[in-house]
Amino acid sequence: MSTVPASCEGYRMPMDSRVILRRHGKSFYFAGQFLAGKQLIDCSRLYAFCRYLDDIADCSAFPGQARRVLEKVYEDISNGSSREPIVNDFLHLADSHAIDKRIVLELIHGLKGDLEPVEIRNWSQLLLYCYRAAGTVGLLMSRILGADDPEARFHAIDLGVAMQLTNIARDVAEDARAGRRYIPAELLPGLPPGKIADPDKAARPLLQRAVEAILATADCYYASGEAGLAYLPARPRLAILIASRVYRAIGSELRRNHCVTWKGRAFITGRRKALIASRTIVHYVVNNRYRACGGGHEACLHRAFAGMPEAHCKGIPA
């Protein structure tokens, strides 16, 4: 594997992480162009590591082997050293930004769950999964972008949860074909993954309402995520706002198509991303709410994963 110099720590890392981001995370790469150079490099390194973990879980034909690889990464992160270059690079990144390694251990825990058939039972189980799959990534990003206030990290979790809920709504059919049903059973009673991928006429309205419920919940978490942007420095604040608006537009596209998930995956064109970015920049310039911290985070948004690293637990009944 070819190597390129890492940002400025004096060691080398695998394959230019910006290439990985550009190839696999198009929406994030687009928003990342509004970051300063060092921040973009470090965010790309984080994305490359998370993509590496995702690929272990998603691309292996042998779940047992994938589980063993993830368990080895878990052990390496816990011990603080690894022979795997991309894991070792993440450990350098975590040390340079004082990242709590328990966060990535929860991410790995969530990915291990994806190796088995997934049939989420209820909203609490879904939101806990979203915390592990993407709220953790929001926490990791918040450290890299310079958000040191604990309140900021609550909102960072929420933006990650919102994006994961959008992913779930977008990928309903694809996940169902892989034997995974992330939409809670209480929204789709008696509907197994096979009937979600290609629903019959009677099941379609039920599935459409369930997808709309997922998107409505995502909207609540997007609102909280954006409310915490004031904790970020100005340049990453704008970049994350653009990422939020571009990703949220996937949900708007689903709604425009009446949440019909079985006819193809919703996506946002490059031209529309550029339009969203330009409108977001104007909105950001004229709107002061992104420059002043709001009235505090709503702890109830974290009820389903209270007790997880850096979640907001204060005020939630035991």
Side-chain angles (χ1 to χ4, degrees), residues 14 196 223 227 236 251 269 287 295:
I196 293 172
T269 64
N287 196 323

Side-chain angles (χ1 to χ4, degrees), residues 190-313:
L191 210 61
K195 289 190 176 180
I196 293 172
D198 187 19
D200 58 32
K201 193 172 182 179
R204 288 174 184 177
L206 185 67
L207 180 56
Q208 287 170 289
R209 288 193 295 271
V211 171
E212 173 55 44
I214 296 293
L215 293 175
T217 303
D219 286 341
C220 296
Y221 283 90
Y222 275 116
S224 178
E226 291 188 7
L229 292 178
Y231 291 100
L232 289 171
R235 188 158 178 176
R237 186 188 310 153
L238 176 59
I240 297 303
L241 180 60
I242 290 170
S244 174
R245 295 297 170 86
V246 168
Y247 226 78
R248 198 170 185 175
I250 297 170
S252 299
E253 185 67 16
L254 270 167
R255 284 175 166 134
R256 190 178 71 82
N257 292 323
H258 308 291
C259 296
V260 173
T261 57
W262 55 91
K263 288 189 177 180
R265 199 180 197 223
F267 67 95
I268 305 302
T269 64
R271 182 175 180 179
R272 190 171 172 198
K273 288 176 186 176
L275 180 61
I276 292 168
S278 62
R279 288 175 175 172
T280 302
I281 291 168
V282 171
H283 181 70
Y284 174 81
V285 168
V286 301
N287 196 323
N288 287 326
R289 77 184 180 92
Y290 299 112
R291 299 173 182 80
C293 298
H297 180 263
E298 295 183 26
C300 61
L301 292 172
H302 290 190
R303 187 185 306 275
F305 43 85
M308 291 291 102
E310 304 200 39
H312 189 175
C313 306

Side-chain angles (χ1 to χ4, degrees), residues 20-284:
I20 297 173
L21 180 60
R22 184 168 63 246
R23 185 180 301 163
H24 298 288
K26 294 180 176 63
S27 293
F28 294 113
Y29 181 80
F30 176 82
Q33 303 313 298
F34 296 87
L35 291 172
K38 176 64 164 62
Q39 286 179 329
L40 175 57
I41 290 170
D42 284 356
C43 287
S44 298
R45 291 165 64 194
L46 174 62
Y47 181 89
F49 171 70
C50 293
R51 183 75 198 188
Y52 166 75
L53 295 179
D54 258 347
D55 285 347
I56 293 170
D58 288 342
C59 300
S60 175
F62 305 100
Q65 181 183 22
R67 181 177 294 277
R68 287 191 292 274
V69 175
L70 286 173
E71 287 173 350
K72 181 63 171 68
V73 176
Y74 189 103
E75 180 183 332
D76 289 351
I77 297 293
S78 300
N79 294 335
S81 64
S82 177
R83 293 183 178 180
E84 180 61 48
I86 201 162
V87 178
N88 195 49
D89 182 71
F90 170 75
L91 288 167
H92 282 285
L93 186 68
D95 287 343
S96 64
H97 291 282
I99 289 172
D100 184 347
K101 295 182 181 68
R102 293 180 305 157
I103 298 166
V104 79
L105 297 181
E106 288 298 332
L107 171 60
I108 295 170
H109 184 86
L111 289 170
K112 286 165 64 178
D114 284 338
L115 296 173
E116 307 295 336
V118 177
E119 294 196 24
I120 297 289
R121 297 187 302 274
N122 52 46
W123 278 104
S124 292
Q125 193 177 17
L126 172 62
L127 291 172
L128 175 58
Y129 170 79
C130 288
Y131 167 86
R132 284 178 166 144
T136 53
V137 180
L139 282 171
L140 297 171
M141 283 284 292
S142 70
R143 283 293 196 180
I144 291 171
L145 296 177
D148 297 324
D149 192 304
E151 190 87 6
R153 297 197 283 278
F154 300 154
H155 295 284
I157 291 171
D158 291 344
L159 189 53
V161 168
M163 289 179 171
Q164 186 62 29
L165 288 169
T166 299
N167 279 343
I168 287 167
R170 179 194 63 192
D171 298 339
V172 165
E174 183 180 329
D175 286 331
R177 282 190 287 271
R180 298 170 182 168
R181 191 207 62 223
Y182 295 101
I183 296 181
E186 60 192 23
L187 295 180
L188 297 174
L191 210 61
K195 289 190 176 180
I196 293 172
D198 187 19
D200 58 32
K201 193 172 182 179
R204 288 174 184 177
L206 185 67
L207 180 56
Q208 287 170 289
R209 288 193 295 271
V211 171
E212 173 55 44
I214 296 293
L215 293 175
T217 303
D219 286 341
C220 296
Y221 283 90
Y222 275 116
S224 178
E226 291 188 7
L229 292 178
Y231 291 100
L232 289 171
R235 188 158 178 176
R237 186 188 310 153
L238 176 59
I240 297 303
L241 180 60
I242 290 170
S244 174
R245 295 297 170 86
V246 168
Y247 226 78
R248 198 170 185 175
I250 297 170
S252 299
E253 185 67 16
L254 270 167
R255 284 175 166 134
R256 190 178 71 82
N257 292 323
H258 308 291
C259 296
V260 173
T261 57
W262 55 91
K263 288 189 177 180
R265 199 180 197 223
F267 67 95
I268 305 302
T269 64
R271 182 175 180 179
R272 190 171 172 198
K273 288 176 186 176
L275 180 61
I276 292 168
S278 62
R279 288 175 175 172
T280 302
I281 291 168
V282 171
H283 181 70
Y284 174 81

